[in-house]
Amino acid sequence: MTRDAAAIGAGLAPARDARPIRGGERIHVVGAGGAGASAAALLAAAAGAAVSGCDAGGPSPYTAALAAVGIHVATGHDAWHVTEGPRPDRLAVTKALTAIDPDHPELRAARDLGIQLEPWQQVIADAAVGRTLVATAGTHGKSTTAGWLGHVLAEAGRDPSAFVGALLPAALTGGTPATARIGHGSAFVVEADEYAGNFDAYRPAIAVLTSIEWDHPDVFADETAVRDVFVRWLAGMPAGGVLVANVADRGVAAILPRPELAHLTVVETAVRDVADPDTRGVSAAIVDPGMTGTTLAVTGLDDGRAVEIRLPTAGRHNAANALGVAGAARALGVATADIVHGLETFPGVGRRLERKGEVEGVVVYDDYGHHPTAIRATIEAVRQREPGRRVWAVYEPLTYHRTAALIPEFAASLATADAVVIADIWAGRDPDTTIASAEGLADAVSKARADIPVAAPGSVEATSAWLARNVRAGDAVLVMGGGRSYLIATDLLERLDTETAAR
């Protein structure tokens, strides 16, 4: 199932020490409609670069923020974006594109002209020069943790900059919701992704590690390979760097004894069954998992005394994310009272257990969950939020290779819901679309749980139409996945609202 990871990023400059972005430097961003690339464009422009961009899909949820600051994003790809007019000094792109389309016209034109080709992560790293870089990493929880930390720092008056792989609310960005925050304080928070070494450009002073589990089977043969890439990256942190590590996660705990990490100061975090007054870091027990939030008894923030914190979100996984935020904020010298306030007032980030609305007694949530562990945890969180409701798990699988490699695990996690609907698989970077199917995953769910309804209606549009005909008052619909799955939630609410108005 794995492929040659060297092909991913082939032709791009390797990660290097970050250097400041020059005033007036011309940077062209290919795929600027994506979450990460749009942030690179925003941060580069704020640093003084002249930024242009293009995206095959045209406008996206992320391009409104670019338009708001005058960054033009052309629809489609063409060599003339590189060859006509003032030529860019460098071209930023997602690594995956080099494997999907190595003969991409803009990449080819840039190579012919000797223009530097770099992953967009390098642009973000360059924008962070001179700041304290704080990176959140792990298989799960990166976006929530990065966004939450940015919120805590902003509320504490630290005015951080940030890149998060999900839309930050306008209250945090100071304008249009975006995946980047432009600040002037000393801290610069980034979400750091392990896929094909995407995080290699980041050399953080502080790292938050949420979890390590097997994912991205197209580049990692097994969990050992995933652990090794995290160790290699963390080993590049400076001596005395701080690693905030969720030791309750099996994969994280397994790498901490590695000698490559002996130069780091480790702050342990863990959600435990009971409060631990002797913690070497920050730990918590869940006191009250309620509909409106989760109350924790947190130790390690105030001289061993347990501090009660009411998180505004649900799920044990989000409690673990909150502790990672607390550990990083403490390492940055944020006062305990400010940490507590920031944890208790976080509005969330886009597509992370996001409540989209309720029509005629049907409540709809949207989430980016696309791994079996994340799916199971998110279903549990919705049950905490919506006790007594029938929970629909609606999933658009993200990539064929992940679906094929983890079908039994996906089936088991989805089967914890009361009803399951599988939309067509989003191919993403996959060259082979024959190795799995939505119908095959639906069959696996039915075999795992024969007593619940399971369907595979087709496209995201067909899925929302099917749901509108089959949900009823009292249901909670949880939409999950990457690709175009976010459209299912909005379209379902619109269809239910239209039907209500027509009656």
Side-chain angles (χ1 to χ4, degrees):
M1 190 67 63
T2 58
R3 62 189 179 195
D4 182 10
I8 300 171
L12 301 186
R16 53 165 172 77
D17 291 339
R19 58 173 181 256
I21 292 173
R22 305 187 313 274
E25 181 178 7
R26 295 187 176 278
I27 301 176
H28 180 63
V29 182
V30 178
S38 65
L42 288 168
L43 292 163
V51 179
S52 59
C54 61
D55 195 279
S60 77
Y62 309 109
T63 54
L66 303 184
V69 296
I71 299 173
H72 175 66
V73 178
T75 297
H77 298 303
D78 197 291
W80 69 263
H81 294 156
V82 177
T83 60
E84 300 299 320
R87 293 178 181 175
D89 297 301
R90 52 175 157 157
L91 186 147
V93 65
T94 177
K95 281 185 176 182
L97 181 62
T98 63
I100 298 171
D101 187 5
D103 202 36
H104 185 281
E106 294 182 46
L107 303 188
R108 185 176 65 250
R111 293 190 190 101
D112 290 344
L113 293 170
I115 295 171
Q116 184 80 9
L117 296 175
E118 293 184 328
W120 56 256
Q121 289 88 351
Q122 187 67 62
V123 175
I124 292 178
D126 290 349
V129 168
R131 317 282 278 281
T132 300
L133 188 62
V134 185
T136 67
T139 308
H140 314 293
K142 295 184 290 294
S143 295
T144 296
T145 303
W148 211 336
L149 179 57
H151 171 78
V152 168
L153 295 174
E155 288 292 299
R158 298 297 187 95
D159 194 21
S161 291
F163 151 58
V164 179
L167 283 174
L168 297 169
L172 188 55
T173 63
T176 308
T179 53
R181 183 184 196 274
I182 312 301
H184 302 284
S186 61
F188 198 118
V189 179
V190 297
E191 176 180 333
D193 172 37
E194 73 276 13
Y195 179 80
N198 278 338
F199 53 22
D200 288 349
Y202 304 132
R203 316 282 170 83
I206 300 171
V208 181
L209 188 54
T210 63
S211 52
I212 299 178
E213 193 172 0
W214 187 41
D215 194 10
H216 306 302
D218 59 331
V219 294
F220 298 125
D222 51 31
E223 188 165 325
T224 297
V226 181
R227 293 179 184 177
D228 286 346
V229 79
F230 274 102
V231 170
R232 178 184 57 76
W233 175 64
L234 294 168
M237 291 176 64
V242 176
L243 173 58
V244 182
N246 176 19
V247 296
D249 179 81
R250 178 178 60 88
V252 173
I255 72 165
L256 292 184
R258 296 276 290 266
E260 301 98 313
L261 307 184
H263 64 299
L264 301 178
T265 298
V266 177
V267 176
E268 296 184 355
T269 67
V271 178
R272 306 185 187 281
D273 293 333
V274 295
D276 179 10
D278 299 321
T279 183
R280 292 184 293 172
V282 183
S283 70
I286 296 176
V287 176
D288 177 26
M291 291 176 61
T292 59
T294 304
T295 302
L296 305 180
V298 182
T299 55
L301 290 179
D302 194 15
D303 297 325
R305 183 178 65 89
V307 178
E308 188 169 286
I309 300 177
R310 181 67 172 178
L311 305 179
T313 189
R316 189 181 184 95
H317 63 302
N318 278 319
N321 293 335
L323 297 187
V325 171
R330 190 176 72 162
L332 288 165
V334 180
T336 296
D338 288 333
I339 295 174
V340 172
H341 170 74
L343 291 178
E344 291 188 332
T345 57
F346 180 50
V349 297
R351 301 212 64 221
R352 302 307 188 271
L353 198 60
E354 183 180 0
R355 193 180 194 274
K356 301 297 288 186
E358 182 174 354
V359 176
E360 289 291 289
V362 178
V363 62
V364 179
Y365 286 83
D366 190 27
D367 193 271
Y368 188 63
H370 56 271
H371 183 280
T373 299
I375 288 170
R376 186 183 294 269
T378 308
I379 291 171
E380 291 174 359
V382 169
R383 290 198 186 281
Q384 178 182 329
R385 284 282 200 204
E386 307 290 345
R389 288 183 182 263
R390 180 172 64 158
V391 176
W392 290 78
V394 182
Y395 179 48
E396 179 196 35
L398 182 60
T399 71
Y400 286 79
H401 67 268
R402 181 185 281 109
T403 306
L406 298 171
I407 276 184
E409 292 82 0
F410 276 120
S413 293
L414 289 164
T416 63
D418 302 311
V420 176
V421 180
I422 311 295
D424 287 344
I425 298 172
W426 175 256
R429 54 187 172 261
D430 276 334
D432 186 353
T433 61
T434 67
I435 57 177
S437 67
E439 294 79 7
L441 178 54
D443 288 343
V445 175
S446 293
K447 290 175 182 176
R449 185 90 183 273
D451 62 325
I452 61 173
V454 180
S459 67
V460 295
E461 292 82 6
T463 297
S464 60
W466 189 94
L467 284 164
R469 296 192 299 269
N470 286 276
V471 296
R472 61 173 185 260
D475 287 349
V477 179
L478 169 60
V479 179
M480 294 173 286
R484 299 174 67 242
S485 60
Y486 66 93
L487 295 173
I488 298 174
T490 55
D491 189 45
L492 173 59
L493 287 169
E494 290 174 3
R495 288 176 183 273
L496 292 174
D497 194 46
T498 298
E499 290 178 6
T500 301
R503 287 201 293 269

